[in-house]
Amino acid sequence: MFNGFIKVAAATPHIRVADCPGNAKALQRVMRAAHGDNARLLITPELAVTGYTCSDLFFQDALLKSAEAALLLLAETSLGQDMITIVGLPLRYHGKLYNCAAVLYQGKILGVVPKANIPNYGEFYEVRHFAKAPEENGEIRIGGAAVPFGSKLLFCSDEMPAFKLAIEICEDLWIGNAPSVSHAAAGATIIANLSASNEIVTKDAFRRTLVVSQSAKLVTGYIYADAGDGESTTDLVFSGHNIIAQNGTILAESKPFGPGYAVTELDLEALAHDRRRITTYGAEASEGYLSVPFSMPLTRTQITRAVARHPFIPDNETLRGERCDLILSIQSAGLKKRLEHTGSKTAVIGVSGGLDSTLALLVTARAMDLLNRPRTDVLAVTMPCFGTTKRTRCNAGALCDALGVTLREIDITDAVRQHFSDLGHDESDLDVLYENAQARERTQVLMDVANQTGGLVVGTGDLSELALGFATYNGDHMSMYAVNASVPKTLIRHIIRYYAERLTDDSLARVLLDILDTPVSPELLPAVDGNIAQKTEELVGPYELHDFFLYYVLRWGFAPAKIRRLANHAFAGEYAPEEIDRYLAVFYRRFFAQQFKRSCLPDGPKVGTVTLSPRGDWRMPSDAAARVWLEELSL
C-alpha cells in the first residue's frame, strides 16, 4: 500500500443455487486465494451466498437463515486476513428483504449496503423479491451486533487516506444517475460492484464500456465482480466476466466463461492527483454519508500490473498507427492555420538530417498540401558547419528532394568564425560558446531568410529537449511556430517509422529509415573521422528514460521515490537501479534549472496530455529550487 498502490481482486466462485453452506465454502476458497495473492480488497458477485437465481426461494425463511449463518462464518474467516472482502446475500431489514453487499474485515461485518435500483424488465424480476434501498442510513442487527446499513456508506482506511471504498450493486451501474456518482463526489476512490449480469450476444462489450467509462468519468478505481458458474441456467447463462478498471483503462479482466478471477493493483495516488488537478471535479455531495473507519497496516504492494516503458506510445499496433496519424493531423492543421493567418509566402525550416527537423518537414509539407499550395513553398535550409557529417548532410538533401520542397544550402562556417574573431574566441576552445554560436547563427539565418521571402520559421525542437533544457536559448529554442513542442523524442521516432512504413516511395522510405538509425546529435562539435562525435544520449542519458520521467512528473505529479520504483519495474534488466537514480537526478536538475527557456516558448500545438507551454498546461517559476525532489531521491 506504499506509494498509493493497493492490490485488489474480483473473483467468481463456483456455487450451487440455494446451498448457502456450500457457497460459503466456495467463498472461503476464493478469500484464501486472493489473500495468498496479497490482495487487500476482494469483491465477489451479487447474491453469491445464496445464488442470484433462487427466484421465489428468496421468500423461504430457511434460505434467509442459512444465508445469515453463512455470512457470520465468512466474517469469522476474514479474521487474520488483512483484506476486506465483500459478499452478496439477501437480508431482512425493517420487515422488507434487500439485495445486499456485506463488507467483512478482521472477523467483523463493517457494514451492509443494499441495492438502490431494483430492475423489473426483460429477464429481471427483482421487484418481486427485493425492496429498494432506504433513503437514509440505519443499523441492522446481525449475529447480535449492530451494523451500519445503507446505500451511503464510505469505508475509509485510517492509514491510507486515499483508500475510500463505496459500493453499488449491478443495476446501479446501468442507470443514468448511478449511485457511484454520489459516492465519488463524497470522496470514494474505489467503487465495488457486485453483479449478476447474464451473458447474451454483445453484452460483454457493452458491460466493458460501462465499467471503463464510469471509472473515467468519476476518476475512480472500479471493480466489477460478475456471477458465473453454478447459477441456474433455466433461462439465463452467467459468464463470470470480471473487470478492474482505473480512470478509463482496464487493468485486469477475466474473460467471459474464463477462470473468473482478476487481480491487479490500483494506484490511488494517481486518482487523488487527477481529482486535485481537475478543478471541475466536485467534492460537495457528502451529505447523508456515514464514514466507516478501519485500520489496515501499510505494506509494500508488489507491482504486477504492466508499466509501459514508453508511456507516450500505445502498445497496440493499430492504436499506435492511429495515434501517429492523429498527431500528424494536429500538427499540420495547426501550422496550416498559422500560415493562413499570417499570409506567409513560404514556410522556412532548418533541416539537419536529424529526427526533429525530419518530422517538422513532414508536417510542413502536409500543411502545404492542406492549403492546396505547392510544396516548393516550403523553403528547407541546410546550414553545415564544423560538426556536420556527410551522412546527415546527404540525408537532409535526399529528404527534401523526395518531398519536393525547395532546398537551400547556406554554409555558416565563415560567419561563425567571424563571430569568434569579433569576440576574441579561440576556435580550438570547444566550449559552450563554440557550440551555441553555431546554433544562434542558424536561427539568425532562418529568421532573415523568412524576412527575405515573406515566410514563417517553423520550429523543430521537441518536448524532451524542452524538458531537459537541451536547446540553445535564442537559438534552436526559438521559432515562429513550433510544431514539435509537445511531441517527445520517443514518440517522434515512432511517428517517422509509421510514416515510412506507409510509403509507396521507396527512396523516401530509405531516407527516413536511415535517419531513424542515425544517433541523436546537435552536431556542434567537430566530426571524428567523418562520424558524429557528439551524441546527445551519452551526455544527458537515454531519452526513453527521460521521457518516462517526464510523463510521471508532469502528468501525475508523482514523487521521486515512486517514479524510481516505477522505472525500476518497467526497465528491470535493461538499466541498473543506480543508473536510473543517476539519470533521474539529471532530469530533476536540468528540469528545474532550465525553466527560463520554457517561460518564453513560441506558439505550438498541444498534441497530448503532457505539454510545457507557459500559456497552457505548465506554469512554473524560472527560479524554483530542486532541493526537495533531489533530497527525496537521495534517501
Side-chain angles (χ1 to χ4, degrees), residues 271-507:
L271 295 173
H273 169 271
D274 260 17
R275 290 185 176 190
R276 291 192 303 269
R277 184 179 66 91
I278 301 170
T279 58
T280 50
Y281 192 94
E284 67 286 338
S286 58
E287 184 177 354
Y289 274 83
L290 173 67
S291 291
V292 181
F294 63 90
S295 177
M296 182 179 288
L298 293 176
T299 56
R300 186 175 179 84
T301 303
Q302 181 183 4
I303 300 175
T304 61
R305 60 188 274 185
V307 177
R309 292 182 176 184
H310 305 126
F312 292 103
I313 304 163
D315 290 330
N316 180 278
E317 185 175 351
T318 300
L319 290 177
R320 188 163 59 244
E322 292 173 354
R323 177 80 54 84
C324 291
D325 196 60
L326 177 60
I327 291 171
L328 283 167
S329 296
I330 293 171
Q331 291 176 283
S332 55
L335 181 57
K336 168 184 174 288
K337 169 64 177 178
R338 185 53 55 95
L339 291 169
E340 281 181 318
H341 178 73
T342 57
S344 300
K345 296 178 181 177
T346 62
V348 178
I349 180 170
V351 179
S352 66
L355 288 171
D356 294 347
S357 65
T358 296
L359 178 58
L361 185 60
L362 295 175
V363 168
T364 306
R366 188 166 175 167
M368 285 300 179
D369 293 344
L370 292 173
L371 289 166
N372 294 316
R373 289 174 55 177
R375 289 187 176 183
T376 51
D377 285 352
V378 178
L379 181 48
V381 184
T382 63
M383 293 163 282
C385 198
F386 308 123
T388 304
T389 61
K390 180 179 179 181
R391 180 180 186 179
T392 55
R393 194 170 184 173
C394 290
N395 277 340
L399 179 64
C400 293
D401 288 343
L403 290 172
V405 304
T406 302
L407 175 62
R408 183 173 176 184
E409 181 175 301
I410 301 175
D411 192 312
I412 65 169
T413 306
D414 289 342
V416 174
R417 282 188 169 137
Q418 179 62 51
H419 188 54
F420 288 162
S421 176
D422 293 341
L423 293 175
H425 181 75
D426 185 349
E427 187 179 324
S428 64
D429 184 357
L430 307 181
D431 62 0
V432 65
L433 188 158
Y434 179 92
E435 295 186 43
N436 287 349
Q438 298 172 69
R440 292 194 177 101
E441 178 62 24
R442 287 186 171 119
T443 300
Q444 174 179 260
V445 168
L446 292 173
M447 294 290 182
D448 289 344
V449 168
N451 289 160
Q452 185 182 50
T453 61
L456 176 144
V457 176
V458 178
T460 62
D462 65 52
L463 180 65
S464 307
E465 293 178 343
L466 292 173
L468 295 169
F470 204 75
T472 300
Y473 192 83
N474 205 34
D476 51 310
H477 153 262
M478 190 49 59
S479 66
M480 297 175 182
Y481 196 73
V483 294
N484 293 341
S486 64
V487 188
K489 188 78 75 177
T490 49
L491 183 52
I492 285 178
R493 288 186 177 278
H494 281 271
I495 294 173
I496 293 174
R497 188 172 299 279
Y498 165 76
Y499 194 100
E501 290 172 349
R502 295 172 64 226
L503 290 171
T504 56
D505 181 348
D506 291 341
S507 61

Side-chain angles (χ1 to χ4, degrees), residues 41 43 86 154 164-169 173 179-185 187-194 211 214-215 218-225 243 245 266 271 275:
L41 175 61
I43 317 300
I86 307 178
L154 280 180
K164 293 184 178 181
L165 168 70
I167 298 167
E168 60 185 9
I169 301 175
L173 170 64
S180 51
V181 175
S182 297
H183 296 341
T189 53
I190 301 177
I191 304 296
N193 187 310
L194 289 71
V211 171
Q214 197 73 348
S215 75
L218 303 183
V219 192
T220 60
Y222 201 103
I223 309 167
Y224 183 94
I243 307 167
L266 296 177
L271 295 173
R275 290 185 176 190

Side-chain angles (χ1 to χ4, degrees), residues 84 110 153-166 186-188 290-296:
I84 287 178
L110 295 183
L153 300 183
L154 280 180
F155 301 90
C156 306
S157 166
D158 292 335
E159 293 80 5
M160 191 178 185
F163 184 1
K164 293 184 178 181
L165 168 70
L290 173 67
S291 291
V292 181
F294 63 90
S295 177
M296 182 179 288

Side-chain angles (χ1 to χ4, degrees), residues 86-268:
I86 307 178
V87 298
L89 76 163
L91 286 172
R92 289 167 287 194
Y93 176 76
H94 290 182
K96 294 292 184 180
L97 187 64
Y98 293 88
N99 179 344
C100 298
V103 181
L104 314 178
Y105 181 61
Q106 289 291 13
K108 296 181 179 180
I109 304 171
L110 295 183
V112 173
V113 178
K115 190 171 183 176
N117 296 278
I118 311 300
N120 203 49
Y121 61 90
E123 60 266 47
F124 303 109
Y125 296 94
E126 289 187 39
V127 170
R128 182 180 177 92
H129 310 110
F130 299 112
K132 180 179 179 180
E135 291 295 325
E136 303 295 332
N137 292 329
E139 283 188 344
I140 185 172
R141 296 196 68 82
I142 304 176
V147 176
F149 180 93
S151 59
K152 294 182 178 180
L153 300 183
L154 280 180
F155 301 90
C156 306
S157 166
D158 292 335
E159 293 80 5
M160 191 178 185
F163 184 1
K164 293 184 178 181
L165 168 70
I167 298 167
E168 60 185 9
I169 301 175
C170 199
E171 182 75 9
D172 290 343
L173 170 64
W174 298 67
I175 68 167
N177 187 27
S180 51
V181 175
S182 297
H183 296 341
T189 53
I190 301 177
I191 304 296
N193 187 310
L194 289 71
S195 182
S197 175
N198 63 300
E199 206 60 58
I200 56 175
V201 174
T202 73
K203 194 173 184 181
D204 61 328
F206 188 71
R207 187 186 299 120
R208 194 179 290 114
T209 298
L210 276 179
V211 171
V212 169
S213 62
Q214 197 73 348
S215 75
K217 286 195 303 180
L218 303 183
V219 192
T220 60
Y222 201 103
I223 309 167
Y224 183 94
D226 191 19
D229 198 17
E231 290 286 357
S232 171
T233 58
T234 300
D235 292 301
L236 307 174
V237 173
F238 299 83
S239 70
H241 184 195
N242 299 328
I243 307 167
I244 303 175
Q246 177 179 311
N247 202 7
T249 300
I250 291 179
L251 301 181
E253 179 180 13
S254 64
K255 302 293 184 182
F257 304 105
Y261 184 66
V263 61
T264 188
E265 302 82 42
L266 296 177
D267 187 347
L268 302 186

